[in-house]
Amino acid sequence: MQIKDLPYPDPGEPDVRSGGRFLLWLGRNQLGGQLKSTGWGLLHQIGVAGLPLGVGLAVQAVVERSGGRLALAAGLLALMGVLLAVGDTMLHRTAVSNWITAAARVQQLLARKTAELGAALTRRVAAGEVVAVSTGDVEKIGWFVEALSRFVAAVAAVVIVCVGLFLYQPALGLVVAIGAPALALAVLPLLPKATQRADVQREKAGKATELASDTVAGLRVLRGIGGEELFLGRYREASQQVRKAAVRSARMWALISAVQVLLPGLLLIAVVWYGATLARAGTVTVGELVTVYSAVTLLMYPLRHFEEIAMAYSFSKPSAKRAARVLALSRTAPGDGLGAAQSPTGDLYDPVTGLLAPTGVFTAVVCGDPDVAGRLADRLGGHPADAEDAGDSPHSPGASRESEKVRSVLLGGVALDELPLAAARASVLVQDKDPVLLSGTLRELLDVPGSGKVSAEDALAAAQCTDVLAALAQASVDSDGDPMNTRITERGRSLSGGQRQRLALARSLITDPEVLVLDEPTSAVDSHTEARVAAGVQRLRAGRTTVVLASSPLLLDQAERVVLVHEGEVVAVGVHRELLHTEPRYRAVVTRETEEEAADANQRDAKIRTLKALEEIEESA
């Protein structure tokens, strides 16, 4: 795979059983690039290993005053120089390609998983961990993939040099053959401690990143209550903990580097001392001593790759473990092969809460707890029930296939968990309470897959976007002032909260899905606009199944069917005006009445019921 061919048509199905297995799977998929990089690395290492031989031949030729041997040595050195230059250049090129393509593969896998899970991702994994995996962890995984081929070439070079020196000069070669593996393995006892400290550093860095992302997300609220200094102090403390952990980790890696410098130096001293002794005794020639000395000196270069691969593996394994944990998350149980063309229709039913949304009916759902409403919206979109929603998770170890089906939301009697993702998304669309607008023109924003039955003009009108279009037309750079060509900034920051919410609603209406689920779609607009939006949605979605999770009386009054969910289950069904008079828990949520007001209302209701009962008794008498 070349960089120019990115992105991958299909990044594949990763092995996410563990971090090590994920790295192994990634390595197998990069096998072609690894073999190329290893081949060029061997060529590079041969060039490095051949230099001492050429230097030794040249020195011996000068001692023996042989011009022919000196020319031969010069030619050998020139050849090694060419091999060194070509091998180093191509090794760097292929190794970096391996790094980038591996990182791109992991990023594509993460992007695919993010698209699959949607808003449920941050409910199951901390936002800081998602950011860490998609940025720093991807880089560390790519580093290990890139360093692996260089390490394999370095191992081959060390073996070749040790065997060659033993055959060339057995006495000195034996010392090198014993000393080189000892140098390569000397840092192994230090690696567990270094890895442990590196893990602590990454853990603290992840927490600091999560704190920073949460602070940025709630910056407006913090400024409103004057709490930015408090959170700044918390982040300052967290960053100092990261700094201290990084210093402790760096000290251990510095010790490993010092060992990698000290021990080769001791080996070099031993070889020189022993070689000089042999040279004085006439056992070795000066040229042979220079050759062995040069070989040992240059042997330090491939040995440095042992330290690099140890560091790369120590850093990448926890990163791969985190990436595997995110990639192991699943939206659904294993599918039964129901194709997208067989998308079901009918009533939407949630067996966890008992919620039923009849087909073609505008159903409003009232939840006293916004978190419960958010989880219910996710579940209606085809995500499995969380453990905190209803007992054990359907995907927990030991959970039966039947329990998975029971926990799944049913559409026309078909479990959404059993549908392929494309079919489930085509059948049920969920707009959460904080929808995101991507940057681009308004035309591009509204250019989404749909049935083709709802035009952009109709959707904008139903969402009451007249003032939004006027504002965009005024900001348009076109001479005709067409709002559809006006560019919307990232996340719609140039618009107010209510404008963003209505444009997101219009985008959802254009898709015209079989079932549309809206979570607090008008929480950021004024009451007058909210009433018109509710009427517009009710009119445009006539005959289509619509579920709105809200507590606004203006929205609830437009609903054909209102359902009250209390403590995780349906407790009342009716219409808005009826439930206001008959269900105290519904009235408490919708009218925001206090406990005293609720008690007074209950007393009034009790008196009314008593009077009606007395009237009925009198009439019967």
Side-chain angles (χ1 to χ4, degrees):
M1 185 70 173
Q2 299 295 321
I3 297 177
K4 65 180 180 180
D5 298 324
L6 294 176
Y8 289 95
D10 180 12
E13 291 296 330
D15 187 344
V16 295
R17 288 176 289 178
S18 66
R21 289 179 180 272
F22 178 67
L23 288 176
L24 181 62
W25 174 86
L26 196 61
R28 287 201 305 267
N29 281 274
Q30 300 284 129
L31 188 58
Q34 292 291 342
L35 291 177
K36 288 181 182 179
S37 185
T38 301
W40 290 115
L42 283 173
L43 186 64
H44 171 68
Q45 296 293 349
I46 290 173
V48 173
L51 291 177
L53 180 60
V55 172
L57 291 176
V59 171
Q60 191 62 33
V62 172
V63 172
E64 297 177 357
R65 298 180 180 278
S66 172
R69 291 185 178 181
L70 183 61
L72 178 63
L76 180 61
L77 288 173
L79 176 61
M80 294 300 105
V82 172
L83 294 180
L84 186 63
V86 174
D88 192 23
T89 301
M90 297 306 298
L91 170 63
H92 179 75
R93 180 185 180 90
T94 54
V96 171
S97 296
N98 289 337
W99 183 336
I100 294 175
T101 52
R105 185 186 296 274
V106 178
Q107 286 178 327
Q108 279 188 247
L109 291 171
L110 291 170
R112 185 175 68 183
K113 183 59 64 175
T114 302
E116 175 187 339
L117 295 175
L121 176 62
T122 52
R123 298 182 189 274
R124 302 164 74 177
V125 181
E129 183 169 355
V130 176
V131 173
V133 169
S134 60
T135 54
D137 286 339
V138 168
E139 182 179 354
K140 293 180 179 66
I141 293 171
W143 176 30
F144 173 74
V145 173
E146 181 259 350
L148 184 60
S149 56
R150 292 206 307 268
F151 169 70
V152 173
V155 171
V158 170
V159 173
I160 292 172
V161 169
C162 289
V163 173
L165 287 179
F166 182 75
L167 296 176
Y168 178 72
Q169 178 44 251
L172 291 175
L174 182 62
V175 175
V176 177
I178 295 175
L183 294 180
L185 302 176
V187 298
L188 288 182
L190 301 175
L191 286 179
K193 190 69 173 179
T195 303
Q196 181 182 2
R197 292 189 178 184
D199 289 343
V200 172
Q201 176 195 349
R202 281 189 291 272
E203 180 182 359
K204 292 184 179 296
K207 292 181 179 179
T209 302
E210 182 177 355
L211 178 61
S213 61
D214 290 344
T215 303
V216 171
L219 191 58
R220 289 187 178 181
V221 178
L222 291 176
R223 286 178 175 173
I225 62 176
E228 59 263 43
E229 287 298 327
L230 175 61
F231 274 78
L232 180 61
R234 291 181 182 177
Y235 181 74
R236 185 180 293 111
E237 180 181 354
S239 63
Q240 287 301 313
Q241 292 179 359
V242 174
R243 181 189 63 80
K244 293 177 182 178
V247 170
R248 293 185 73 249
S249 177
R251 286 173 179 168
M252 184 56 66
W253 289 112
L255 177 60
I256 292 176
S257 298
V259 170
Q260 290 283 2
V261 173
L262 175 63
L263 295 184
L266 295 177
L267 176 62
L268 189 61
I269 292 173
V271 168
V272 171
W273 177 81
Y274 184 52
T277 302
L278 294 178
R280 289 178 61 187
T283 306
V284 299
T285 64
V286 174
E288 291 174 337
L289 177 59
V290 171
T291 299
V292 175
Y293 169 78
S294 301
V296 174
T297 302
L298 293 178
L299 195 62
M300 303 304 105
Y301 174 72
L303 284 176
R304 299 291 294 182
H305 291 293
F306 286 76
E307 177 192 352
E308 181 189 18
I309 197 64
M311 293 181 64
Y313 183 73
S314 298
F315 279 94
S316 65
K317 187 176 181 180
S319 297
K321 183 178 179 181
R322 280 197 295 268
R325 184 164 60 247
V326 173
L327 294 175
L329 298 175
S330 176
R331 178 191 71 91
T332 65
D336 290 336
L338 188 62
Q342 299 173 288
S343 298
T345 59
D347 297 343
L348 184 69
Y349 176 67
D350 176 28
V352 175
T353 60
L355 171 65
L356 174 67
T359 181
V361 175
F362 188 165
T363 302
V365 181
V366 177
C367 297
D369 187 349
D371 292 334
V372 173
R375 291 194 295 271
L376 176 58
D378 288 337
R379 201 160 55 249
L380 293 177
H383 298 286
D386 294 333
E388 60 186 284
D389 287 334
D392 295 331
S393 171
H395 298 290
S396 61
S400 67
R401 181 71 172 164
E402 290 301 320
S403 66
E404 288 176 355
K405 290 183 178 180
V406 168
R407 293 302 180 192
S408 173
V409 170
L410 305 178
L411 178 60
V414 178
L416 285 182
D417 282 5
E418 304 296 339
L419 288 173
L421 179 62
R425 292 275 170 84
S427 301
V428 181
L429 173 65
V430 178
Q431 177 182 302
D432 62 21
K433 65 183 63 178
D434 188 22
V436 175
L437 301 183
L438 302 179
S439 59
T441 64
L442 179 58
R443 193 183 309 279
E444 294 170 340
L445 174 68
L446 301 179
D447 184 16
V448 293
S451 65
K453 298 178 181 178
V454 179
S455 65
E457 292 74 13
D458 292 339
L460 290 168
Q464 301 301 312
C465 294
T466 305
D467 62 317
V468 184
L469 295 177
L472 292 176
Q474 187 176 4
S476 175
V477 296
D478 294 344
S479 57
D480 58 354
D482 186 358
M484 300 298 290
N485 295 328
T486 303
R487 189 167 187 81
I488 298 174
T489 57
E490 180 187 4
R491 300 181 67 91
R493 298 186 189 280
S494 58
L495 304 173
S496 68
Q499 291 174 330
R500 288 196 301 269
Q501 202 169 52
R502 282 176 284 158
L503 285 180
L505 176 59
R507 179 180 59 187
S508 299
L509 293 173
I510 289 175
T511 61
D512 191 33
E514 179 68 25
V515 178
L516 177 61
V517 180
L518 304 173
D519 187 5
E520 294 288 354
T522 57
S523 59
V525 301
D526 60 83
S527 300
H528 180 63
T529 305
E530 184 178 32
R532 291 186 293 140
V533 169
V537 172
Q538 200 275 342
R539 181 176 59 255
L540 188 65
R541 293 284 300 174
R544 308 286 276 172
T545 307
T546 306
V547 180
V548 179
L549 291 95
S551 59
S552 168
L554 295 173
L555 265 176
L556 299 173
D557 196 38
Q558 291 289 337
E560 302 169 74
R561 190 169 187 267
V562 180
V563 179
L564 173 63
V565 176
H566 181 70
E567 295 183 352
E569 63 180 13
V570 174
V571 295
V573 179
V575 294
H576 171 61
R577 297 177 187 272
E578 173 190 344
L579 291 175
L580 274 179
H581 295 292
T582 60
E583 179 53 62
R585 290 170 294 187
Y586 178 84
R587 184 171 56 247
V589 175
V590 173
T591 63
R592 278 80 168 175
E593 63 183 5
T594 64
E595 294 183 0
E596 294 181 357
E597 292 172 340
D600 294 339
N602 290 334
Q603 291 178 0
R604 288 195 303 269
D605 292 340
K607 290 179 180 179
I608 293 173
R609 287 194 296 269
T610 302
L611 291 174
K612 288 183 178 180
L614 291 174
E615 291 176 357
E616 292 175 357
I617 292 173
E618 290 177 356
E619 291 177 357
S620 61

